[in-house]
mmCIF file of all heavy atoms in Angstrom:
data_model
loop_
_atom_site.group_PDB
_atom_site.id
_atom_site.type_symbol
_atom_site.label_atom_id
_atom_site.label_comp_id
_atom_site.label_asym_id
_atom_site.label_seq_id
_atom_site.Cartn_x
_atom_site.Cartn_y
_atom_site.Cartn_z
ATOM 1 N N MET A 2 -17.218 26.582 31.644
ATOM 2 C CA MET A 2 -16.758 27.919 31.265
ATOM 3 C C MET A 2 -15.352 27.812 30.683
ATOM 4 O O MET A 2 -14.538 27.027 31.159
ATOM 5 C CB MET A 2 -16.713 28.846 32.485
ATOM 6 C CG MET A 2 -18.072 29.274 32.997
ATOM 7 S SD MET A 2 -18.960 30.338 31.844
ATOM 8 C CE MET A 2 -17.917 31.766 31.756
ATOM 9 N N HIS A 3 -15.105 28.609 29.653
ATOM 10 C CA HIS A 3 -13.787 28.646 29.036
ATOM 11 C C HIS A 3 -13.249 30.064 29.118
ATOM 12 O O HIS A 3 -13.988 31.032 28.905
ATOM 13 C CB HIS A 3 -13.856 28.238 27.554
ATOM 14 C CG HIS A 3 -14.327 26.844 27.344
ATOM 15 N ND1 HIS A 3 -13.513 25.750 27.504
ATOM 16 C CD2 HIS A 3 -15.530 26.362 26.994
ATOM 17 C CE1 HIS A 3 -14.205 24.654 27.254
ATOM 18 N NE2 HIS A 3 -15.433 25.000 26.940
ATOM 19 N N HIS A 4 -11.985 30.175 29.429
ATOM 20 C CA HIS A 4 -11.298 31.463 29.461
ATOM 21 C C HIS A 4 -10.131 31.349 28.479
ATOM 22 O O HIS A 4 -9.199 30.579 28.704
ATOM 23 C CB HIS A 4 -10.808 31.740 30.877
ATOM 24 C CG HIS A 4 -10.189 33.082 31.046
ATOM 25 N ND1 HIS A 4 -9.546 33.452 32.198
ATOM 26 C CD2 HIS A 4 -10.117 34.164 30.238
ATOM 27 C CE1 HIS A 4 -9.089 34.686 32.071
ATOM 28 N NE2 HIS A 4 -9.434 35.129 30.885
ATOM 29 N N VAL A 5 -10.236 32.093 27.380
ATOM 30 C CA VAL A 5 -9.209 32.048 26.338
ATOM 31 C C VAL A 5 -8.509 33.402 26.305
ATOM 32 O O VAL A 5 -9.155 34.443 26.208
ATOM 33 C CB VAL A 5 -9.825 31.729 24.951
ATOM 34 C CG1 VAL A 5 -8.743 31.721 23.879
ATOM 35 C CG2 VAL A 5 -10.564 30.392 24.988
ATOM 36 N N ILE A 6 -7.192 33.370 26.405
ATOM 37 C CA ILE A 6 -6.367 34.579 26.341
ATOM 38 C C ILE A 6 -5.490 34.461 25.100
ATOM 39 O O ILE A 6 -4.793 33.461 24.923
ATOM 40 C CB ILE A 6 -5.480 34.723 27.592
ATOM 41 C CG1 ILE A 6 -6.341 34.748 28.854
ATOM 42 C CG2 ILE A 6 -4.599 35.967 27.482
ATOM 43 C CD1 ILE A 6 -5.560 34.521 30.137
ATOM 44 N N VAL A 7 -5.545 35.485 24.259
ATOM 45 C CA VAL A 7 -4.686 35.536 23.077
ATOM 46 C C VAL A 7 -3.715 36.685 23.298
ATOM 47 O O VAL A 7 -4.130 37.835 23.434
ATOM 48 C CB VAL A 7 -5.492 35.744 21.780
ATOM 49 C CG1 VAL A 7 -4.559 35.758 20.578
ATOM 50 C CG2 VAL A 7 -6.554 34.662 21.629
ATOM 51 N N SER A 8 -2.436 36.359 23.366
ATOM 52 C CA SER A 8 -1.407 37.351 23.681
ATOM 53 C C SER A 8 -0.490 37.596 22.485
ATOM 54 O O SER A 8 0.008 36.655 21.867
ATOM 55 C CB SER A 8 -0.579 36.856 24.867
ATOM 56 O OG SER A 8 0.502 37.718 25.105
ATOM 57 N N PHE A 9 -0.289 38.877 22.201
ATOM 58 C CA PHE A 9 0.646 39.279 21.140
ATOM 59 C C PHE A 9 1.870 39.965 21.741
ATOM 60 O O PHE A 9 2.587 40.662 21.054
ATOM 61 C CB PHE A 9 -0.047 40.223 20.152
ATOM 62 C CG PHE A 9 -1.003 39.520 19.250
ATOM 63 C CD1 PHE A 9 -2.329 39.372 19.615
ATOM 64 C CD2 PHE A 9 -0.583 38.984 18.046
ATOM 65 C CE1 PHE A 9 -3.223 38.712 18.796
ATOM 66 C CE2 PHE A 9 -1.466 38.322 17.213
ATOM 67 C CZ PHE A 9 -2.788 38.189 17.597
ATOM 68 N N GLY A 10 2.088 39.786 23.017
ATOM 69 C CA GLY A 10 3.200 40.412 23.705
ATOM 70 C C GLY A 10 2.738 40.892 25.063
ATOM 71 O O GLY A 10 1.553 40.784 25.423
ATOM 72 N N LYS A 11 3.653 41.443 25.801
ATOM 73 C CA LYS A 11 3.405 41.826 27.181
ATOM 74 C C LYS A 11 2.203 42.753 27.355
ATOM 75 O O LYS A 11 1.418 42.605 28.280
ATOM 76 C CB LYS A 11 4.669 42.493 27.721
ATOM 77 C CG LYS A 11 4.660 42.756 29.188
ATOM 78 C CD LYS A 11 5.984 43.321 29.623
ATOM 79 C CE LYS A 11 6.000 43.619 31.094
ATOM 80 N NZ LYS A 11 7.255 44.208 31.522
ATOM 81 N N ASP A 12 2.046 43.715 26.479
ATOM 82 C CA ASP A 12 1.010 44.729 26.650
ATOM 83 C C ASP A 12 -0.209 44.547 25.751
ATOM 84 O O ASP A 12 -1.099 45.389 25.750
ATOM 85 C CB ASP A 12 1.608 46.124 26.405
ATOM 86 C CG ASP A 12 2.711 46.445 27.392
ATOM 87 O OD1 ASP A 12 2.603 46.032 28.564
ATOM 88 O OD2 ASP A 12 3.686 47.100 26.991
ATOM 89 N N THR A 13 -0.272 43.469 24.987
ATOM 90 C CA THR A 13 -1.383 43.280 24.067
ATOM 91 C C THR A 13 -1.995 41.904 24.248
ATOM 92 O O THR A 13 -1.479 40.909 23.734
ATOM 93 C CB THR A 13 -0.919 43.451 22.602
ATOM 94 O OG1 THR A 13 -0.205 44.685 22.481
ATOM 95 C CG2 THR A 13 -2.102 43.478 21.666
ATOM 96 N N GLU A 14 -3.074 41.865 25.022
ATOM 97 C CA GLU A 14 -3.784 40.618 25.265
ATOM 98 C C GLU A 14 -5.276 40.829 25.012
ATOM 99 O O GLU A 14 -5.818 41.896 25.277
ATOM 100 C CB GLU A 14 -3.599 40.141 26.701
ATOM 101 C CG GLU A 14 -2.219 39.644 27.001
ATOM 102 C CD GLU A 14 -2.118 39.003 28.375
ATOM 103 O OE1 GLU A 14 -3.052 39.129 29.190
ATOM 104 O OE2 GLU A 14 -1.080 38.379 28.628
ATOM 105 N N PHE A 15 -5.891 39.782 24.520
ATOM 106 C CA PHE A 15 -7.326 39.775 24.301
ATOM 107 C C PHE A 15 -7.889 38.602 25.098
ATOM 108 O O PHE A 15 -7.394 37.485 24.974
ATOM 109 C CB PHE A 15 -7.642 39.614 22.809
ATOM 110 C CG PHE A 15 -7.053 40.717 21.972
ATOM 111 C CD1 PHE A 15 -5.784 40.579 21.418
ATOM 112 C CD2 PHE A 15 -7.748 41.892 21.752
ATOM 113 C CE1 PHE A 15 -5.225 41.587 20.655
ATOM 114 C CE2 PHE A 15 -7.205 42.910 20.985
ATOM 115 C CZ PHE A 15 -5.945 42.766 20.443
ATOM 116 N N GLU A 16 -8.910 38.870 25.930
ATOM 117 C CA GLU A 16 -9.474 37.831 26.789
ATOM 118 C C GLU A 16 -10.923 37.573 26.430
ATOM 119 O O GLU A 16 -11.681 38.501 26.159
ATOM 120 C CB GLU A 16 -9.386 38.246 28.254
ATOM 121 C CG GLU A 16 -7.961 38.314 28.767
ATOM 122 C CD GLU A 16 -7.902 38.462 30.273
ATOM 123 O OE1 GLU A 16 -8.677 37.768 30.973
ATOM 124 O OE2 GLU A 16 -7.090 39.264 30.736
ATOM 125 N N TYR A 17 -11.282 36.304 26.456
ATOM 126 C CA TYR A 17 -12.633 35.880 26.122
ATOM 127 C C TYR A 17 -13.101 34.881 27.170
ATOM 128 O O TYR A 17 -12.407 33.906 27.447
ATOM 129 C CB TYR A 17 -12.668 35.226 24.729
ATOM 130 C CG TYR A 17 -12.052 36.118 23.692
ATOM 131 C CD1 TYR A 17 -10.696 36.030 23.396
ATOM 132 C CD2 TYR A 17 -12.805 37.103 23.068
ATOM 133 C CE1 TYR A 17 -10.100 36.882 22.477
ATOM 134 C CE2 TYR A 17 -12.219 37.963 22.141
ATOM 135 C CZ TYR A 17 -10.875 37.843 21.856
ATOM 136 O OH TYR A 17 -10.292 38.700 20.954
ATOM 137 N N LYS A 18 -14.265 35.135 27.755
ATOM 138 C CA LYS A 18 -14.877 34.206 28.702
ATOM 139 C C LYS A 18 -16.143 33.690 28.042
ATOM 140 O O LYS A 18 -17.034 34.466 27.699
ATOM 141 C CB LYS A 18 -15.156 34.893 30.023
ATOM 142 C CG LYS A 18 -13.856 35.273 30.708
ATOM 143 C CD LYS A 18 -14.057 35.839 32.076
ATOM 144 C CE LYS A 18 -12.672 36.181 32.639
ATOM 145 N NZ LYS A 18 -12.741 36.731 33.961
ATOM 146 N N LEU A 19 -16.188 32.384 27.845
ATOM 147 C CA LEU A 19 -17.250 31.761 27.064
ATOM 148 C C LEU A 19 -17.922 30.650 27.855
ATOM 149 O O LEU A 19 -17.251 29.868 28.523
ATOM 150 C CB LEU A 19 -16.659 31.155 25.787
ATOM 151 C CG LEU A 19 -15.726 32.065 24.985
ATOM 152 C CD1 LEU A 19 -14.836 31.253 24.076
ATOM 153 C CD2 LEU A 19 -16.551 33.048 24.193
ATOM 154 N N ALA A 20 -19.225 30.580 27.758
ATOM 155 C CA ALA A 20 -19.970 29.496 28.392
ATOM 156 C C ALA A 20 -20.187 28.390 27.373
ATOM 157 O O ALA A 20 -20.471 28.659 26.210
ATOM 158 C CB ALA A 20 -21.309 30.011 28.895
ATOM 159 N N GLY A 21 -20.033 27.165 27.819
ATOM 160 C CA GLY A 21 -20.254 26.030 26.933
ATOM 161 C C GLY A 21 -19.168 25.908 25.886
ATOM 162 O O GLY A 21 -18.181 26.628 25.890
ATOM 163 N N GLY A 22 -19.380 25.005 24.986
ATOM 164 C CA GLY A 22 -18.394 24.806 23.927
ATOM 165 C C GLY A 22 -19.071 24.321 22.667
ATOM 166 O O GLY A 22 -20.157 23.753 22.704
ATOM 167 N N GLY A 23 -18.442 24.552 21.574
ATOM 168 C CA GLY A 23 -18.984 24.103 20.289
ATOM 169 C C GLY A 23 -18.496 22.718 19.955
ATOM 170 O O GLY A 23 -17.789 22.070 20.726
ATOM 171 N N ALA A 24 -18.869 22.272 18.790
ATOM 172 C CA ALA A 24 -18.453 20.951 18.313
ATOM 173 C C ALA A 24 -17.026 21.026 17.784
ATOM 174 O O ALA A 24 -16.682 21.923 17.020
ATOM 175 C CB ALA A 24 -19.401 20.477 17.219
ATOM 176 N N ALA A 25 -16.208 20.076 18.185
ATOM 177 C CA ALA A 25 -14.800 20.067 17.788
ATOM 178 C C ALA A 25 -14.646 19.925 16.275
ATOM 179 O O ALA A 25 -13.765 20.552 15.679
ATOM 180 C CB ALA A 25 -14.057 18.942 18.507
ATOM 181 N N ASP A 26 -15.496 19.129 15.627
ATOM 182 C CA ASP A 26 -15.395 18.955 14.171
ATOM 183 C C ASP A 26 -15.670 20.260 13.432
ATOM 184 O O ASP A 26 -14.965 20.597 12.483
ATOM 185 C CB ASP A 26 -16.365 17.869 13.678
ATOM 186 C CG ASP A 26 -15.916 16.471 14.066
ATOM 187 O OD1 ASP A 26 -14.717 16.292 14.388
ATOM 188 O OD2 ASP A 26 -16.754 15.558 14.046
ATOM 189 N N GLU A 27 -16.691 20.990 13.876
ATOM 190 C CA GLU A 27 -16.997 22.282 13.255
ATOM 191 C C GLU A 27 -15.863 23.276 13.492
ATOM 192 O O GLU A 27 -15.524 24.071 12.620
ATOM 193 C CB GLU A 27 -18.313 22.830 13.796
ATOM 194 C CG GLU A 27 -19.521 22.057 13.326
ATOM 195 C CD GLU A 27 -20.810 22.554 13.963
ATOM 196 O OE1 GLU A 27 -20.836 23.673 14.508
ATOM 197 O OE2 GLU A 27 -21.800 21.799 13.902
ATOM 198 N N ALA A 28 -15.267 23.227 14.668
ATOM 199 C CA ALA A 28 -14.156 24.118 14.994
ATOM 200 C C ALA A 28 -12.951 23.814 14.107
ATOM 201 O O ALA A 28 -12.298 24.731 13.605
ATOM 202 C CB ALA A 28 -13.786 23.984 16.470
ATOM 203 N N ARG A 29 -12.672 22.549 13.893
ATOM 204 C CA ARG A 29 -11.560 22.167 13.010
ATOM 205 C C ARG A 29 -11.799 22.660 11.591
ATOM 206 O O ARG A 29 -10.882 23.148 10.931
ATOM 207 C CB ARG A 29 -11.370 20.649 13.016
ATOM 208 C CG ARG A 29 -10.640 20.144 14.228
ATOM 209 C CD ARG A 29 -10.316 18.645 14.107
ATOM 210 N NE ARG A 29 -9.864 18.150 15.381
ATOM 211 C CZ ARG A 29 -10.654 17.715 16.352
ATOM 212 N NH1 ARG A 29 -11.959 17.699 16.187
ATOM 213 N NH2 ARG A 29 -10.153 17.290 17.490
ATOM 214 N N GLN A 30 -13.034 22.533 11.119
ATOM 215 C CA GLN A 30 -13.373 23.012 9.777
ATOM 216 C C GLN A 30 -13.195 24.525 9.685
ATOM 217 O O GLN A 30 -12.692 25.043 8.683
ATOM 218 C CB GLN A 30 -14.809 22.630 9.415
ATOM 219 C CG GLN A 30 -14.975 21.147 9.195
ATOM 220 C CD GLN A 30 -16.429 20.745 9.016
ATOM 221 O OE1 GLN A 30 -17.313 21.586 8.939
ATOM 222 N NE2 GLN A 30 -16.679 19.446 8.949
ATOM 223 N N TRP A 31 -13.591 25.255 10.726
ATOM 224 C CA TRP A 31 -13.426 26.709 10.740
ATOM 225 C C TRP A 31 -11.937 27.054 10.649
ATOM 226 O O TRP A 31 -11.544 27.912 9.863
ATOM 227 C CB TRP A 31 -14.052 27.310 12.003
ATOM 228 C CG TRP A 31 -14.022 28.797 12.031
ATOM 229 C CD1 TRP A 31 -14.961 29.641 11.501
ATOM 230 C CD2 TRP A 31 -13.016 29.644 12.611
ATOM 231 N NE1 TRP A 31 -14.593 30.962 11.718
ATOM 232 C CE2 TRP A 31 -13.401 30.983 12.388
ATOM 233 C CE3 TRP A 31 -11.824 29.394 13.289
ATOM 234 C CZ2 TRP A 31 -12.640 32.073 12.827
ATOM 235 C CZ3 TRP A 31 -11.071 30.480 13.720
ATOM 236 C CH2 TRP A 31 -11.478 31.788 13.487
ATOM 237 N N PHE A 32 -11.113 26.378 11.448
ATOM 238 C CA PHE A 32 -9.675 26.646 11.406
ATOM 239 C C PHE A 32 -9.069 26.260 10.061
ATOM 240 O O PHE A 32 -8.184 26.957 9.557
ATOM 241 C CB PHE A 32 -8.932 25.961 12.560
ATOM 242 C CG PHE A 32 -8.910 26.796 13.808
ATOM 243 C CD1 PHE A 32 -9.726 26.485 14.872
ATOM 244 C CD2 PHE A 32 -8.095 27.908 13.899
ATOM 245 C CE1 PHE A 32 -9.725 27.272 16.020
ATOM 246 C CE2 PHE A 32 -8.079 28.699 15.036
ATOM 247 C CZ PHE A 32 -8.904 28.378 16.098
ATOM 248 N N ASP A 33 -9.536 25.186 9.470
ATOM 249 C CA ASP A 33 -9.055 24.802 8.131
ATOM 250 C C ASP A 33 -9.339 25.912 7.124
ATOM 251 O O ASP A 33 -8.465 26.286 6.340
ATOM 252 C CB ASP A 33 -9.715 23.506 7.652
ATOM 253 C CG ASP A 33 -9.209 22.271 8.387
ATOM 254 O OD1 ASP A 33 -8.170 22.359 9.064
ATOM 255 O OD2 ASP A 33 -9.876 21.219 8.279
ATOM 256 N N ARG A 34 -10.573 26.445 7.147
ATOM 257 C CA ARG A 34 -10.941 27.523 6.215
ATOM 258 C C ARG A 34 -10.101 28.781 6.460
ATOM 259 O O ARG A 34 -9.600 29.398 5.519
ATOM 260 C CB ARG A 34 -12.425 27.863 6.343
ATOM 261 C CG ARG A 34 -13.351 26.829 5.741
ATOM 262 C CD ARG A 34 -14.785 27.319 5.678
ATOM 263 N NE ARG A 34 -15.332 27.727 6.960
ATOM 264 C CZ ARG A 34 -15.929 26.922 7.834
ATOM 265 N NH1 ARG A 34 -16.071 25.643 7.553
ATOM 266 N NH2 ARG A 34 -16.397 27.390 8.968
ATOM 267 N N GLU A 35 -9.945 29.153 7.716
ATOM 268 C CA GLU A 35 -9.166 30.360 8.042
ATOM 269 C C GLU A 35 -7.693 30.181 7.690
ATOM 270 O O GLU A 35 -7.044 31.109 7.209
ATOM 271 C CB GLU A 35 -9.320 30.722 9.527
ATOM 272 C CG GLU A 35 -10.713 31.198 9.900
ATOM 273 C CD GLU A 35 -11.125 32.452 9.154
ATOM 274 O OE1 GLU A 35 -10.347 33.420 9.097
ATOM 275 O OE2 GLU A 35 -12.252 32.465 8.613
ATOM 276 N N PHE A 36 -7.167 28.997 7.929
ATOM 277 C CA PHE A 36 -5.768 28.680 7.619
ATOM 278 C C PHE A 36 -5.496 28.912 6.135
ATOM 279 O O PHE A 36 -4.506 29.528 5.754
ATOM 280 C CB PHE A 36 -5.488 27.224 8.016
ATOM 281 C CG PHE A 36 -4.043 26.832 7.983
ATOM 282 C CD1 PHE A 36 -3.227 27.049 9.078
ATOM 283 C CD2 PHE A 36 -3.493 26.218 6.868
ATOM 284 C CE1 PHE A 36 -1.892 26.667 9.063
ATOM 285 C CE2 PHE A 36 -2.168 25.832 6.840
ATOM 286 C CZ PHE A 36 -1.359 26.065 7.947
ATOM 287 N N VAL A 37 -6.412 28.443 5.296
ATOM 288 C CA VAL A 37 -6.278 28.612 3.844
ATOM 289 C C VAL A 37 -6.510 30.069 3.449
ATOM 290 O O VAL A 37 -5.738 30.654 2.678
ATOM 291 C CB VAL A 37 -7.251 27.671 3.097
ATOM 292 C CG1 VAL A 37 -7.286 27.988 1.607
ATOM 293 C CG2 VAL A 37 -6.850 26.220 3.323
ATOM 294 N N ALA A 38 -7.558 30.694 3.987
ATOM 295 C CA ALA A 38 -7.899 32.077 3.631
ATOM 296 C C ALA A 38 -6.778 33.048 3.990
ATOM 297 O O ALA A 38 -6.514 34.004 3.252
ATOM 298 C CB ALA A 38 -9.194 32.495 4.320
ATOM 299 N N LEU A 39 -6.121 32.814 5.116
ATOM 300 C CA LEU A 39 -5.029 33.694 5.559
ATOM 301 C C LEU A 39 -3.685 33.319 4.932
ATOM 302 O O LEU A 39 -2.677 33.956 5.202
ATOM 303 C CB LEU A 39 -4.917 33.668 7.088
ATOM 304 C CG LEU A 39 -6.081 34.300 7.841
ATOM 305 C CD1 LEU A 39 -6.021 33.944 9.322
ATOM 306 C CD2 LEU A 39 -6.068 35.814 7.656
ATOM 307 N N GLU A 40 -3.693 32.256 4.133
ATOM 308 C CA GLU A 40 -2.479 31.772 3.473
ATOM 309 C C GLU A 40 -1.361 31.484 4.482
ATOM 310 O O GLU A 40 -0.211 31.874 4.308
ATOM 311 C CB GLU A 40 -2.013 32.753 2.396
ATOM 312 C CG GLU A 40 -3.046 32.956 1.309
ATOM 313 C CD GLU A 40 -2.621 33.948 0.240
ATOM 314 O OE1 GLU A 40 -1.541 34.552 0.339
ATOM 315 O OE2 GLU A 40 -3.401 34.103 -0.722
ATOM 316 N N CYS A 41 -1.738 30.786 5.544
ATOM 317 C CA CYS A 41 -0.782 30.429 6.594
ATOM 318 C C CYS A 41 0.231 29.426 6.054
ATOM 319 O O CYS A 41 -0.082 28.601 5.195
ATOM 320 C CB CYS A 41 -1.509 29.814 7.785
ATOM 321 S SG CYS A 41 -2.667 30.915 8.601
ATOM 322 N N ASP A 42 1.422 29.501 6.600
ATOM 323 C CA ASP A 42 2.498 28.598 6.218
ATOM 324 C C ASP A 42 3.174 28.123 7.495
ATOM 325 O O ASP A 42 3.635 28.934 8.292
ATOM 326 C CB ASP A 42 3.493 29.326 5.316
ATOM 327 C CG ASP A 42 4.579 28.401 4.802
ATOM 328 O OD1 ASP A 42 4.320 27.201 4.655
ATOM 329 O OD2 ASP A 42 5.695 28.898 4.547
ATOM 330 N N VAL A 43 3.203 26.816 7.693
ATOM 331 C CA VAL A 43 3.821 26.241 8.884
ATOM 332 C C VAL A 43 4.823 25.196 8.445
ATOM 333 O O VAL A 43 4.472 24.254 7.729
ATOM 334 C CB VAL A 43 2.766 25.579 9.800
ATOM 335 C CG1 VAL A 43 3.429 24.940 10.998
ATOM 336 C CG2 VAL A 43 1.736 26.583 10.241
ATOM 337 N N ALA A 44 6.050 25.357 8.857
ATOM 338 C CA ALA A 44 7.079 24.362 8.564
ATOM 339 C C ALA A 44 7.124 23.386 9.732
ATOM 340 O O ALA A 44 7.423 23.767 10.860
ATOM 341 C CB ALA A 44 8.424 25.037 8.386
ATOM 342 N N THR A 45 6.787 22.138 9.453
ATOM 343 C CA THR A 45 6.861 21.117 10.493
ATOM 344 C C THR A 45 7.774 19.988 10.006
ATOM 345 O O THR A 45 7.769 19.655 8.823
ATOM 346 C CB THR A 45 5.466 20.534 10.818
ATOM 347 O OG1 THR A 45 4.941 19.913 9.657
ATOM 348 C CG2 THR A 45 4.515 21.597 11.309
ATOM 349 N N PRO A 46 8.545 19.416 10.914
ATOM 350 C CA PRO A 46 9.463 18.361 10.509
ATOM 351 C C PRO A 46 8.745 17.120 9.974
ATOM 352 O O PRO A 46 9.268 16.415 9.129
ATOM 353 C CB PRO A 46 10.243 18.038 11.773
ATOM 354 C CG PRO A 46 9.600 18.767 12.879
ATOM 355 C CD PRO A 46 8.658 19.756 12.312
ATOM 356 N N THR A 47 7.514 16.867 10.440
ATOM 357 C CA THR A 47 6.791 15.671 10.004
ATOM 358 C C THR A 47 5.939 15.926 8.766
ATOM 359 O O THR A 47 5.448 14.989 8.149
ATOM 360 C CB THR A 47 5.865 15.157 11.119
ATOM 361 O OG1 THR A 47 4.885 16.170 11.392
ATOM 362 C CG2 THR A 47 6.635 14.818 12.370
ATOM 363 N N GLY A 48 5.726 17.194 8.452
ATOM 364 C CA GLY A 48 4.867 17.531 7.321
ATOM 365 C C GLY A 48 3.404 17.618 7.697
ATOM 366 O O GLY A 48 2.579 18.024 6.903
ATOM 367 N N LYS A 49 3.065 17.228 8.930
ATOM 368 C CA LYS A 49 1.682 17.310 9.405
ATOM 369 C C LYS A 49 1.473 18.656 10.089
ATOM 370 O O LYS A 49 2.356 19.158 10.773
ATOM 371 C CB LYS A 49 1.387 16.214 10.425
ATOM 372 C CG LYS A 49 1.295 14.844 9.837
ATOM 373 C CD LYS A 49 0.869 13.859 10.900
ATOM 374 C CE LYS A 49 0.694 12.482 10.331
ATOM 375 N NZ LYS A 49 0.233 11.538 11.340
ATOM 376 N N VAL A 50 0.285 19.214 9.910
ATOM 377 C CA VAL A 50 -0.069 20.443 10.604
ATOM 378 C C VAL A 50 -1.078 20.065 11.681
ATOM 379 O O VAL A 50 -2.212 19.686 11.391
ATOM 380 C CB VAL A 50 -0.656 21.495 9.639
ATOM 381 C CG1 VAL A 50 -1.020 22.753 10.391
ATOM 382 C CG2 VAL A 50 0.331 21.806 8.520
ATOM 383 N N LEU A 51 -0.641 20.131 12.938
ATOM 384 C CA LEU A 51 -1.485 19.757 14.069
ATOM 385 C C LEU A 51 -2.473 20.866 14.398
ATOM 386 O O LEU A 51 -2.310 22.009 13.964
ATOM 387 C CB LEU A 51 -0.609 19.458 15.281
ATOM 388 C CG LEU A 51 0.469 18.394 15.088
ATOM 389 C CD1 LEU A 51 1.345 18.301 16.314
ATOM 390 C CD2 LEU A 51 -0.166 17.050 14.760
ATOM 391 N N ALA A 52 -3.479 20.530 15.195
ATOM 392 C CA ALA A 52 -4.496 21.512 15.581
ATOM 393 C C ALA A 52 -3.867 22.732 16.250
ATOM 394 O O ALA A 52 -4.242 23.862 15.946
ATOM 395 C CB ALA A 52 -5.526 20.868 16.497
#
Side-chain angles (χ1 to χ4, degrees):
M2 288 293 297
H3 298 281
H4 185 188
V5 179
I6 302 165
V7 181
S8 174
F9 286 90
K11 189 176 179 182
D12 299 324
T13 309
E14 289 188 348
F15 301 91
E16 293 191 43
Y17 307 91
K18 293 185 180 180
L19 312 159
D26 288 341
E27 290 176 17
R29 281 187 191 86
Q30 290 172 6
W31 185 87
F32 273 105
D33 288 345
R34 286 190 303 273
E35 292 299 312
F36 190 86
V37 171
L39 292 167
E40 299 179 357
C41 297
D42 184 29
V43 178
T45 62
T47 63
K49 288 186 177 182
V50 180
L51 304 174

